Amino acid sequence: MKYIDEERINNLLADASKADSQNLDDILAKAKSLKRLGLKESALLLSNTEPEQIKKIFEAASFVKDAIYGRRVVLFAPLYISNLCANSCLYCAFKSDNLLIKRKALTVSEINLQVEWLLKRGHKRILMVCGEDAPDGKSNIDYYLEAIKSIYASSAGKNKIKRVNVNCAPLAVDEFKKLKNCGIGTYQIFQETYHSQTYLRMHPKGPKSDPDNRITAPDRAFRAGIDDIGIGALFGLYDWRFETLALLSHVEHMEEEFKVGPHTISVPRIEPAEGVELSSNPPYKISDDQFRKIVAVLRLSVPYTGIIMSTREDIQMRDALLSLGVSQISAESNTSPGGYTNVDKEQAGGQFSLGDHRSLDEIVGALITHDYIPSFCAACYRMERTGESFMKLAMPGTIKGKCSMNALITLKEYLDDFASGQVKGVGYKMIERYFKQLGPSEQDKLQFFFSRVREGVRDEYV
Ligand code: SAM
Ligand code: SF4
């Protein structure tokens, strides 16, 4: 597979098992100074099995998370627009030979219905997701563009979607340009597995069977002007240490080629999917301990890159991973096209089963209880703080101050418009608590924005 030197990764992992704890302390000290780690250092962290040392790794990850991101957590909801798919990924319910699920590509008016439902719950950020239809199928680039336009055009009162991120199959540069011109935020694509042989086995048919076309998709998106790119691996297909190190070497490639790493990294674990045997019994099942380590090592290795956690994980795991480095989470997801409002009598098939079924209100309430500030902010995107300019802010931790202010402004909007009585109670108290920690000029600024929110102005940011 292009960009991935498997032999080097295997050697790094083999050497890492022999390292002593002195190395570990030096690496953690470097990470805590918010410096990016090299592959060799990440390999040492991944390979450590001493409980005391792992505790230190977790503490350092929490430190770095807090230093760069503060207490804010960004919330979003996925919107599955189509489950039509020409591929046969062995782990996914949307694979073309799965006859057990009902297929559907939402119409524009059905998409509007879904978005209105999400807007009325308080969502402001959407991740648009779809299968990869056949080249002559109806779910193509024009369909994606129509869908994105209709998501941005939808409204519920004064509320609109602020940012649409997209997770779709690899496109050509001119198609990516069209996505960019349509106003997407992040383009997200997971390599699934960076191990060549496993990749070929897992993707036996369809356009996705070419690993190089997939791993070069971020390069094409970048060339098309999309500089916020999300990458990831589907954990459970191959050895977790190999996949983590390969993900990090993909990051290195992006940094070398484009002077900017990925905006986000996702760490999905395989979940059971209807009609798909492998999904209930993945070949390299990841334990909860290993999973926590993956997130902590990523946080330490690429401190300025957001880490996304979906509702694949259950409540306990999602809570634990927030302190280890996750900075964005999805809420009240549904993986079936039309699933939010049940557009048809017989619901279209979902992609996989979920571990967290709480409402947005419950999740916001739980975040506040754990002293995390729920954020619906899209200011960086609005202010064109993307790609390299975002990284310049994120690298020294400067983004933290802006993000915390914006998180408080968007939290107030959410509380005023959507929250239950109980969440309002704890939420306003949180705002008061954080307000008191600010200096006089920041307090003045925030007061100004809060008064605008009280007057009914929405989508404010610094
Ligand atoms: N179809 C496009 C593609 O494959 O790139 C768009 C994304 S697909 C709908 C979204 C992601 O879901 C895939 O990249 C894969 O990592 C993940 N996925 C597929 N099956 C899964 C399963 N059983 N459990 C968890 N995640 C799964
Ligand atoms: Fe289709 Fe994507 Fe599922 Fe593969 S992961 S079957 S390409 S929807």
Side-chain angles (χ1 to χ4, degrees):
M1 190 181 301
K2 264 189 154 178
Y3 311 147
I4 304 299
D5 184 343
E6 292 189 8
E7 196 184 333
R8 179 169 174 234
I9 293 173
N10 287 330
N11 288 339
L12 282 169
L13 289 172
D15 291 347
S17 318
K18 301 168 209 151
D20 61 28
S21 59
Q22 181 55 40
N23 291 93
L24 185 103
D25 289 340
D26 293 345
I27 297 168
L28 294 183
K30 179 176 172 186
K32 284 169 92 172
S33 69
L34 309 185
K35 290 205 179 84
R36 170 101 168 66
L37 300 182
L39 285 188
K40 189 173 169 191
E41 293 162 324
S42 305
L44 288 174
L45 298 184
L46 285 170
S47 304
N48 199 298
T49 51
E50 290 290 319
E52 275 308 303
Q53 311 289 355
I54 292 173
K55 211 169 133 202
K56 280 192 197 169
I57 294 175
F58 286 178
E59 279 165 7
S62 294
F63 175 90
V64 170
K65 157 87 197 288
D66 204 46
I68 294 195
Y69 293 90
R71 300 298 297 173
R72 103 223 196 259
V73 175
V74 171
L75 289 154
F76 70 94
L79 176 63
Y80 280 71
I81 57 166
S82 159
N83 61 7
L84 307 182
C85 196
N87 291 308
S88 303
C89 312
L90 296 194
Y91 42 81
C92 178
F94 293 172
K95 67 191 181 110
S96 57
D97 47 359
N98 185 4
L99 303 178
L100 289 182
I101 65 162
K102 185 186 168 224
R103 304 282 168 170
K104 180 158 186 81
L106 298 180
T107 62
V108 166
S109 61
E110 287 167 340
I111 290 172
N112 285 337
L113 259 182
Q114 304 300 293
V115 180
E116 278 165 26
W117 187 90
L118 289 167
L119 280 167
K120 282 181 189 153
R121 311 282 292 175
H123 286 283
K124 295 287 167 68
R125 298 169 61 114
I126 276 182
L127 171 66
M128 189 182 98
V129 189
C130 53
E132 179 171 14
D133 203 358
D136 57 349
K138 58 180 163 180
S139 170
N140 53 25
I141 180 70
D142 292 332
Y143 173 67
Y144 300 170
L145 300 176
E146 215 182 354
I148 296 162
K149 280 182 201 146
S150 77
I151 295 171
Y152 278 130
S154 304
S155 59
K158 48 195 180 251
N159 294 293
K160 290 182 86 77
I161 293 298
K162 299 181 190 176
R163 175 169 175 138
V164 182
N165 298 332
V166 174
N167 184 324
C168 70
L171 298 170
V173 175
D174 62 322
E175 294 172 321
F176 277 128
K177 277 188 186 149
K178 290 179 183 169
L179 277 192
K180 168 77 185 167
N181 292 339
C182 215
I184 70 155
T186 307
Y187 170 65
Q188 189 184 73
I189 182 158
F190 309 151
Q191 187 61 21
E192 320 297 14
T193 171
Y194 286 94
H195 186 250
S196 286
Q197 270 185 13
T198 308
Y199 189 98
L200 296 175
R201 214 173 32 251
M202 291 295 155
H203 307 102
K205 276 193 292 195
K208 194 164 166 180
S209 55
D210 176 0
D212 288 344
N213 182 47
R214 194 165 180 89
I215 203 166
T216 52
D219 304 20
R220 292 194 294 282
F222 211 90
R223 275 188 210 108
I226 301 174
D227 53 4
D228 275 358
I229 307 232
I231 61 172
L234 182 58
F235 282 90
L237 297 177
Y238 188 61
D239 177 76
W240 61 280
R241 293 188 314 147
F242 178 95
E243 299 288 20
T244 311
L245 224 49
L247 245 176
L248 290 168
S249 50
H250 194 181
V251 174
E252 280 190 351
H253 160 75
M254 290 172 73
E255 287 169 339
E256 277 160 23
E257 188 84 13
F258 304 112
K259 309 285 166 280
V260 53
H263 186 63
T264 54
I265 291 182
S266 297
V267 286
R269 273 200 289 191
I270 296 181
E271 295 297 328
E274 190 184 354
V276 181
E277 214 184 300
L278 181 138
S279 66
S280 305
N281 198 9
Y284 285 80
K285 198 169 164 50
I286 310 291
S287 73
D288 287 352
D289 285 345
Q290 290 162 345
F291 197 52
R292 279 188 278 269
K293 207 156 161 211
I294 293 167
V295 171
V297 173
L298 286 173
R299 174 44 61 242
L300 293 169
S301 304
V302 278
Y304 54 85
T305 301
I307 300 181
I308 299 181
M309 176 67 37
S310 75
T311 46
R312 289 173 181 87
E313 298 301 326
D314 65 18
I315 300 175
Q316 272 177 322
M317 181 54 82
R318 275 159 59 92
D319 286 350
L321 294 179
L322 280 174
S323 75
L324 293 179
V326 165
S327 53
Q328 296 191 19
I329 61 171
S330 53
E332 59 186 346
S333 309
N334 193 308
T335 68
S336 124
Y340 289 119
T341 63
N342 237 336
V343 289
D344 288 329
K345 260 199 211 125
E346 191 204 336
Q347 193 167 312
Q351 197 189 11
F352 45 78
S353 65
L354 301 172
D356 183 351
H357 300 276
R358 290 173 297 174
S359 67
L360 178 62
D361 193 61
E362 286 169 315
I363 292 178
V364 167
L367 285 173
I368 294 170
T369 309
H370 291 104
D371 197 26
Y372 288 108
I373 312 172
S375 174
F376 297 89
C377 176
C380 284
Y381 163 68
R382 292 290 172 82
M383 304 279 285
E384 300 193 354
R385 292 193 293 251
T386 60
E388 208 177 341
S389 48
F390 172 83
M391 289 303 167
K392 278 189 185 139
L393 278 171
M395 277 177 178
T398 330
I399 200 80
K400 181 174 150 180
K402 281 188 195 299
C403 288
S404 299
M405 297 268 279
N406 284 328
L408 292 174
I409 297 168
T410 59
L411 175 60
K412 177 160 169 53
E413 290 180 359
Y414 174 83
L415 295 174
D416 285 7
D417 291 346
F418 305 103
S420 60
Q422 199 200 348
V423 172
K424 276 191 209 296
V426 287
Y428 290 130
K429 273 193 197 132
M430 163 175 262
I431 292 180
E432 223 178 285
R433 204 163 61 243
Y434 277 90
F435 184 81
K436 283 186 189 147
Q437 294 172 15
L438 299 172
S441 75
E442 282 173 314
Q443 284 191 345
D444 283 351
K445 211 185 238 178
L446 212 50
Q447 281 290 20
F448 166 77
F449 283 111
F450 284 167
S451 63
R452 303 248 309 154
V453 174
R454 264 193 303 276
E455 286 160 16
V457 182
R458 289 294 172 267
D459 198 6
E460 294 281 83
Y461 50 85
V462 294

